[in-house]
Amino acid sequence: MLKIALPNKGSLSEDAVQLIREAGYNCRRYSRELIICDSRNQVEFVFLRPRDIAIYVSKGILDLGVTGRDLTQDSGADVEELLPLGFGRSDFCYAVPDDTGLTPDQLAGRRIATSYPQLVSEDLQRRGFQAEIIRLDGAVEISVRLGVADAIADVVQTGRTLHAAGLKVVGEPLLQSEAILVARSQAITANEAVYLFIERIRGIVVAREYVMVEYDIPEAMLEMACVVTPGIESPTVSPLSKKGWVAVKSMSRQQDVNPIMDRLTKLGAKGIIVTDIRTCRI
């Protein structure tokens, strides 16, 4: 039976469970169960602290795991990233008090509070200097105000928490993180059950990035319309009963859908419809 680790709490857990359920697996928790068995698909889901997941996978105790890229790299676990999952996106950055002009290259000898000591240590080595790393398990942003640290290194999504603590991000992100699927080795994908799981998950992840765009357009404008909606290989084109008109159907990136509709309208397209895609293989 395939054993897969999932985060046990927080938004990372909720999004992971939603993704896997959409892929056809039963991993729904009704309380605080640590293990859910999907007997129909022969998969066992184990709920663990996100920070520990890469370690369990690297030891071969579990086959696959869903966790953050930042947590995986900070753990130092010997695992490989199989697939980015498109949620839990954040940047790992340095932050300093608003009223200072400190930059990351000026942190030599200073105190840096973080929940990710390995990531910070590796970055300091790249910069060629040392600083005191103060490891905290949470609420890192308050450490500067309390006099524990001169700067922090933490994951940033909106930046509102930092702003409320009187801090600002400085320098480029050390790491761009998101939820990822990890395994001990790429070789595990040769396992049929693993391959099937990855392909089902990939189908949901890709489907979330695309929509189906359908519209009618004069045949004379078809070539220009196909430039706007080229599809994956090419769009599907069907003749309409109205002479000189065709119906077009094409997958397009969700983030581009409004500009696409604007351009199609200018070309004379009618009945433009955009629908979500539940899953796909491309």
Side-chain angles (χ1 to χ4, degrees):
M1 181 173 284
L2 195 63
K3 294 185 178 182
I4 301 173
L6 299 180
N8 64 346
K9 61 181 179 180
S11 60
L12 204 62
S13 176
E14 295 169 4
D15 290 341
V17 168
Q18 179 65 27
L19 171 65
I20 292 170
R21 290 185 65 192
E22 287 181 22
Y25 294 90
N26 174 30
C27 61
R28 182 177 180 181
R29 299 168 80 192
Y30 292 93
S31 184
R32 295 186 178 181
E33 302 97 320
L34 297 180
I35 298 177
I36 299 293
C37 182
D38 181 351
S39 56
R40 183 169 66 89
N41 289 296
Q42 287 295 291
V43 179
E44 193 171 75
F45 295 101
V46 182
F47 290 85
L48 301 168
R49 290 177 68 239
R51 184 171 288 276
D52 298 336
I53 286 175
I55 296 173
Y56 279 96
V57 173
S58 71
K59 301 295 184 183
I61 298 169
L62 301 171
D63 300 300
L64 301 170
V66 174
T67 186
R69 184 179 292 125
D70 53 349
L71 296 169
T72 298
Q73 294 192 17
D74 189 66
S75 72
D78 185 16
V79 296
E80 297 186 33
E81 179 177 329
L82 300 181
L83 183 68
L85 301 178
F87 61 87
R89 290 191 173 100
S90 63
D91 291 332
F92 185 69
C93 306
Y94 287 115
V96 301
D98 285 327
D99 58 359
T100 70
L102 283 174
T103 69
D105 289 328
Q106 296 173 328
L107 295 178
R110 296 182 183 271
R111 301 166 300 167
I112 305 172
T114 186
S115 298
Y116 300 82
Q118 184 64 29
L119 290 180
V120 175
S121 177
E122 291 173 357
D123 183 68
L124 294 178
Q125 288 179 23
R126 287 192 295 268
R127 295 179 188 274
F129 59 76
Q130 294 183 341
E132 181 183 355
I133 299 175
I134 300 171
R135 178 169 182 172
L136 300 175
D137 287 332
V140 175
E141 63 280 352
I142 197 64
S143 63
V144 175
R145 181 174 293 179
L146 294 178
V148 174
D150 303 303
I152 71 167
D154 203 6
V155 291
V156 179
Q157 291 180 313
T158 65
R160 287 195 295 267
T161 302
L162 288 181
H163 180 72
L167 302 175
K168 62 181 179 182
V169 170
V170 289
E172 294 297 319
L174 281 65
L175 174 71
Q176 292 182 320
S177 184
E178 66 180 296
I180 59 174
L181 182 67
V182 299
R184 189 176 185 183
S185 167
Q186 287 277 0
I188 196 173
T189 59
N191 180 307
E192 185 176 352
V194 172
Y195 175 79
L196 179 61
F197 180 82
I198 293 172
E199 288 304 296
R200 287 184 177 180
I201 296 299
R202 193 193 312 274
I204 302 299
V205 172
V206 172
R208 289 176 174 180
E209 295 180 359
Y210 287 87
V211 291
M212 189 64 69
V213 179
E214 301 176 66
Y215 57 92
D216 300 338
I217 195 156
E219 195 168 4
M221 305 302 293
L222 177 59
E223 185 174 348
M224 295 178 67
C226 289
V227 172
V228 178
T229 58
I232 303 302
E233 301 297 335
S234 65
T236 300
V237 180
S238 306
L240 293 177
S241 59
K242 183 177 180 180
K243 187 175 180 180
W245 282 72
V246 293
V248 181
K249 189 174 185 179
S250 174
M251 283 179 64
S252 300
R253 288 197 174 274
Q254 187 177 57
Q255 64 184 18
D256 300 329
V257 67
N258 287 305
I260 285 173
M261 294 179 71
D262 296 338
R263 294 172 66 186
L264 290 175
T265 299
K266 289 182 179 180
L267 291 176
K270 302 293 184 182
I272 305 171
I273 300 174
V274 177
T275 54
D276 291 333
I277 302 171
R278 292 189 62 185
T279 186
C280 66
R281 307 284 173 94
I282 59 174

